[in-house]
Structure formats: C-alpha cells, structure tokens
Amino acid sequence: MSLTLLISTGICLVALVVSITLVRRLKDWRMGLFSLFLAFMALRQGLALVVETENWTVVLFSNPEEIPGLLVSGLAFTAVLYLRTFINEQVAKGEALRASEIRYQDLYENAPDMFVSVDAKTGRVLQCNQTLVSSTGYTKQEIVDRPVFDLYHPDSLEDARQAFHTFSSTGEVRDAELQLKRKDGTTIDVLLNVSSIRDEQGRIIQSRSVWRDITSRKRVEMTLRETENMTQQILDATTDLVLVKDPLSRILWANKAFQSYYGMTNAELKDLMDAPFNDPHNTEQYLEDDQRVFETGQTQFIQEEHVTRHDGEIRLFQTIKSPIFGENDQVAMLVAVARDITEHKQAQRALQESERFAYSTMDALSAHICVLDEVGTILTINESWKQFGLGNGLLSKQFTVGDNYLQVCEQATGDCSEEAWTVARGIRSVIQGLQQNFSWVYPCHSPTERRWFVVKVTRFPGQGPIRVVVAHENLTESKLAEEALRESEERYRTLVEHSPYCIHEINLDGALVSMNRAGLRMLRLDNEKDVLGRPYLDFVGEQDQGRIGALLDQALQGTSCTFEFWTSARACFQASFVPILDSGGRVEKIMGLTQDISEQKQIEGTFRTLVQGTASQVGEAFFDVLIEQIALALGVRFALVTELILENPPRLRSLGCWNEKLMGDSFQYDVSGTPCQEVLKEGLVYYPKGVRGLFPADTDLQDINAEAYLGISLKGSEGKPIGHLCIVNDDNLSDVARAQSILNIFGARAAAELERMRAENENARTLAQLRDLTGQLSSAQEQERKRIARELHDEFGQALTGLNFDLTWMMKQLDKTSDFLSKQDILTKFHSMSSTVVSIIQSVRRIASSLRPAVLDDLGLVEALESEFREFHQRTGIQCVVNIEQAVRDEGEDIGGEVATALYRISQEFLTNALRHSRASRVEVVLANTDEALVLILRDNGSGITTEQITNSRSLGILGMKERAISVGGQFQISGSPAKGTEVKVRIDRKIPSQSSNEN
C-alpha cells in the first residue's frame, strides 16, 4: 500500500478520534465536525498526490499543485491537535474552578458567622448564607429582598441605623455590637463588621456584612459581672474583717466590716500597712505574719491577736492569712480574714459558771429529769427526780444513778407495764438516732389522787457521746382542765339548746346550717329541717332584706354587728352577727343570736309616751303627771306614788294619786295591814287577784273594789326604801311584764326625783361633797388604769418580746446559712413560740380574773424571782445571775404581798427592757437587806439607758417600775452608761437580819 495512503488514512483515524473526544469533552458537535472535515480534506489531498502514480510503491509528485493544500491540511490538523491539548487544559481548569466554587459556596453557607449582602441604596437584603437562616428561624425567601433593619431587635434599631450611616460615609463598620431578632421574638447578640463593594466610578453599591453571634460571650460577661458583684456583696455582708495586701504588706482593698472597724474608707486605707492608731508592737507582728505568707506561700493561722478599733477599744481576733498566687507560681497578694472572738473568749471563761448554773437550773425545775448514756444507764438525776423517788419509794428500786433505766422499764409488770414498755421503745429509738425526740402521756394514779405525766425524751445535739434527757412532767392540772373543758362544752351545748334566745349558724353562702329550739319557736316551726339550707334572708321582711344582706356581707368580711329587723309576720327581732374564724384567721361561719323584742318595742312605745309626758316636769308636778301617765298607759283604775316620812312605825305621804282622775290633796296613812307594808319590806309585790281578801283591814281597797295589785318600793341612793309606787285595778292586769317594767323604770325616776327634792335644801353642801367625790372617783379610776396598764405591760411585754426574739432567731438562722434548717429545729422553735402564745392566753385569763400573780401566792418572792430569771434564760439564752441573801430567803414568806408584787413586777419589766432595748448578754438580780432596808438591785451589761430615755414621758416601763416602788413606800433609782449597762435600784424600809448566801 502507498505510504502516502497509509499516512492519510492514519491522519483520518486520528482526526476521527480527536473529533469524538472533542465532542464528549466540549459537549459541542460542531468542533468535532470541524476536526473531521480537516481530516477528510487531508485524506483527499493525499489521494490526489498518488492518483497518477503508476507504481504504488513509489510516490510520484505528479501533481505538485496539491502540495500546498496538503501542507495546509497538515498545518490545520496540527492546529487541531494543539487545540485539543489547549481545550483539555481549559476543561481541567474549569472543573477545578467549579470544585473551588462548590467549596466556597459550602464555606459561605455553613460558616460559623452570618453573611449578608445588602443593597447600599435601598437597604434590602440581596443575599444571605444558611447560618443566618438557621440562627434567626426565617427562610431565605423571607430574608432576601427584605429591609435589613427588619432583622434587628427594636432595642438595637437606632444603633443599626447609625452603623448604616457610618457605612454610607466610610464604606465600612468595625466591631459594632447589636441585637438581632429571631422569628420567635428572642434576641441574638451579634458583632457587626461591614465592607463595601464599589462600581467603576467608586460609588458604594453593596455591603458585605458579617454578623458574629456573641450571645454566649455576653452571657459569660454578664455572669462574670454578677459573680464579681456577688463576691463583693458577700465580702461586704460578712461581719468578719477581710483585706487584701500586696507583697509590700500595703493594703489594696478592705471590706465594709474592716472599714467600719478602723473608721476609714478604702481610699484612706489604700497603700497603708496598718492603721496609724494601732499599737506599734501589734503592727510589727502583723507585718511579720504577712512576710511569712509571702515567703513560704503557706496559709498562716493566727489563733489570737489584739486589734485596736478606731474608738480605742482593743478586741481579740482570730486571723487566717492565705496567699494568692500569680504568674510563675509566685505569691502576688495575700487575703486576710479576721474574726472577732472577744465574746467567744468571754463565753469560754463563763463556761464553768454556766455549767454550774445549768445544774442548778435543772435541780430547780419541777420536772423529774435524768440523763442516760447510749445503753440506758442513768448518769445524773435532778432534785425533783430524787424527791419524787424518795416520796414514792423508787430510789431503792433501781431508779437512781448507775442503774439501767431501759431494763427497769422493759422488766416492768402490773397495770402500767405497757406504758413502761412503750417508753423504753421510745428511748431506744432516740438513742439509735431513729428520731430526735419522743413524747408519751401516761397515767400514774396514787391511792389518794389521780395523776397524769408526760415523758419527753430528747437526744443531745451535735457530735460526741450519745446522751439523752428523760423528763417526766406532771400533767394532772392540764388533764383536769381538759376534763373541765369537755364538761364546759357540754354545758354550752345544753345552754344553747335551752336558751330562750334564737342561736343559729350561717355558712359562707348565707344559708342557715343550725338553729336551736328557741329559734324554731320564734319562727313557729316544728323541725330544724325546715330551716337548714335556706337563706337567712328568707326569714327577713322585704323592707329590711337589702339592709340585712349588707350587714351579713359585712360579717362575712370579719366585722361583728347588731341590728333590728321586722319579719314577714310583723314580729320585731334583734339579732347579732359574730364571725367565727378558723386557725388561719379566715371567717369560716357566722354565729347569730336573735331575740324577739316585739313586746319590748311596745314597752318602748309606752316608755316614750311616759317620758315625753314627764320630761319637762320636776318637783310635785312631776309626780302628778307621772301617776296620770302610768294609769292611762296601763289602763288601771287606781295609781299611787308616796314618800316614806316615818320609818318606825312606817308612815307614807302621797305625792300623787289617781282614782280615775287626779286627786289634788295630799294625804298620809299608816301602812300596817296594807299591801304597801309588804312592798316596803320585799321591794316588789304582785297580787294577781283577790287582794281585798288578803288585806281586809285596808278600807281603800274595799272602796275601789280592788282585785289586782302591783307595787314596787322607791329606793334611795343607799338602797333603803324612801317610798313606793303602785297600781290597783278592779280586774286582772292585762300585761304584767310590761307593767312591771314601767314601774321599775319610772319608779327609779320617781325615786331620783324624790331624792332630788329632799336634797334641794342641802344643795351647797351636797355640791361640795360631789366635787370631792368626783375627785376621788377620778383619782381611783386613774389609779386603776395605771395598775391595769402596768399589769398588761408587764405580762404581755415580756411574752411578746420573747416571741419576737424567737422569730428573730429563726430569721437570723435562715439568713446565716444557705442550708435549710432541720425540721426538728423549726419544730423546737415553733413549740417555744406556741408555749409563749399559751402563756399570753393564760395571762389574759389571769388578768381578767385577778391581777394578783399566782406565783407569788404559791411560792413567795424569792422562789418567784428565781423561777422568772430561770425561765428568761431558757427562753432567750441570756445569762442570768440570781444573788439573794440568806436572810431574805429566811424571811421571804414574810415579805408583804404588795411589796412582793411590786418587786416581782419591777424585775419582770427590767428583764423585758434588757431583752428588747439593751441587747444585753448578762443580767443580774441582787436582793439583800442593807441598813435596815430591803434592797432590790437589777443590772445588765447592755448598751446602757440614756438620760433622754429616763426622762421621756413615753417610757411606760420606767414609769411603771417607779410607780410600783412608790406605791409600797419605796425609793426608785435608775442609771446607765454604754460601758456598764443599766442598773435599777429599789429601796424599801424594813428590818431583816444580815446573812448572805450567793446562788448563781
């Protein structure tokens, strides 16, 4: 085959392959067709060269004119080959560019920051990434072409507009903190950075904004600021002294307690090593301790050091100095925390005294007390336990120190064995820690009396060996009181059922829920079911329903009221609403009391007529008008009012007489054999019929054909008869009760007028006596008021102060620690507060019945004072010291009742003031005889009373103490100073032999 033909054929095949490749790579059939066309043109040129060849083995160039065409075709084909190489390179670059675009798009869409493009002219969003969509909750369709300001939170809108204005001027914004608004309304804190895109003329056409979410950072910053503020507040709130020093021992910062103690601000303390007024020796020691911390890097614990306060007082502190490390583990600062232990040291010194006092207090308690160890062995017993054991023969039966109380209880037999076993189980439960305390009430009757006791078992708090306190208290009086209360309640129910008044209960809906028999009779009903559940207003007349409904609402709000109303049956009732409160102070029902006053209204009408008729009359004319009005009002034939002019034998003179008309002339008569004599003796006499037969010697009764007689005596201011008033009728009296009421009331009026007449001649002397009497009454009233005020102040002041102290203790405990108080602590305080409330109730009852303190009558002044101070210590924790001379103890029962009461009340008032005002930690009472006088001295170590407080007229406590001392002929002195506290001294002249004995 011709070499030329082979070459041409090869070129054609190569062109064909190239064409196909170009079509596949370029996706363009026209480029492939062009390459194929060049290949066929080259083939044609090759065939044209050999068409004239006679020998296929030799190439003859017989057609030289085809050579240029063949060269052109070859050059074209070469160009195609080059073009293929170039196109392959361009395709590879395009694919790399597309891959890069994909990576950029992925980076753009999923970048941690939010990207958005905004039209600089319209402010609308042109483009945003997926991060913005997912962060705000909008879709891209909701964001694109939306004003960019719609994405900002309203609080940041003004700042966003300012940032846009800055961008329009400068073409960029850097680190602007704004807030975006999510679709759900929540906010995103963002950091905005903006760059600009400009056209060929340099004008800004777009912005490229980057929003970085800094919400977490903002929260961390806020938390950090809050933590710093909290730390500052905590350090300022603590009572310990806290300061920070640099390596040169210069003060960098101090808390408020430190500033207050030194009387200097942080600015004044800064760069000082110590306060200038402190002792130089102490300052030198402080600096040595500081340097030891900086040199060793270890915390220093200073057990005791003296620190001078700004007012010169030197107090004892316990200090901890700790290093604060900086870079390279070097001590950069130290922090010192100092706690005032002055009172703590004083408490330690008083510990032995307190223990002695505790044992003395336990012996003085009336409860029978013992202390057990972890196995139930009796460690100690108090005096009451010992005396009870001796009196009942128990100390010889394994009930004393060293015996196992649990075994005794568990081995008990007889009637009370079950109670003993129960007590043993309770004690074991407390010892094992299953419960903090145990209480059980049990009977313990003796052959001669009924007795009840309560045993209380309490475990010692805190760490250390297990100890429990077993206390038996006598509840006999309480139990008997409970039985009396039940009997009282039964009597109350009986009284309600048999009361002549209507007693009923109304619920919160205004419906009746109960009514006694008297109420059913008033309503003319037979069965309580006829009223239960019905509204109260159903039984009220229509004209009064609105008014009574308002009063019922008022009672449901907690206000008592009394009112009158008419029923639909035209009966007049008087009713009272009293709200009944539940334990929470809310109204739970209304107690009503109703009585039928229809007859009373009729009597009032009669009274009104009589009053109007006699109101303007005095002297003799009054009696004529009175007797006429009574006769006409009661419809009787005969009426008489008289004056007793002679007592022995009794003789009367008429002041007014009605016998179907007024009898003008006055007359006198002896009362012997007449009903008037009985009136003067008995005060009230009523003969419903046959009075003529009862007194046949009375001719006047025969003359008027008398049948009924009603008379009352007129009594003077001394309670003795000075006359009488009577009515007589020839028939039965129609309304005896009304007649009796009228005679009682107007008989008193007649007696008053008669006495006025008798006293008219002695008016001047009587007026002087009245003046004296008025003065005496006013003085007596004022004295009684003072005495009652003192009693109320003494009784309630101390109890309420103790209750306030308990509440303050609980608030302080809750404020001092973040841990919740244990349930037992709260219950213990609530029991204490409940006891205080019970004490108040008992005081109210006692003051209402007698203002004389029973403890003085039962125990005497000495024991009463010891009991009062002991109870005060137990309730408040304040140390109490009682110092009573033996001579006073020996003569204690002989101290007069008024003197004992006055000294006891003065002591109570002093304790109340010590707790309420002086903030004392120790009180003392001294009772002694000095220079033939009984002297009471009361002291505390509190803030000390001032002269202004002593002279203040509103200081009722001081006034009460002073008045009590003066009332028993004593002298009263009170003084105080900040350094020594307050002292009260009462001196009462008396003679008691001198012999002292102290008891703490």
Side-chain angles (χ1 to χ4, degrees), residues 881-899:
V881 178
V882 180
N883 188 336
I884 300 177
E885 286 189 356
Q886 187 61 41
V888 179
R889 292 180 180 277
D890 296 339
E891 299 290 334
E893 296 181 356
D894 295 332
I895 297 176
E898 293 297 328
V899 173

Side-chain angles (χ1 to χ4, degrees), residues 505-519:
E505 293 179 339
I506 305 172
N507 63 18
L508 299 180
D509 297 325
L512 289 163
V513 295
S514 70
M515 181 175 288
N516 67 345
R517 298 172 186 173

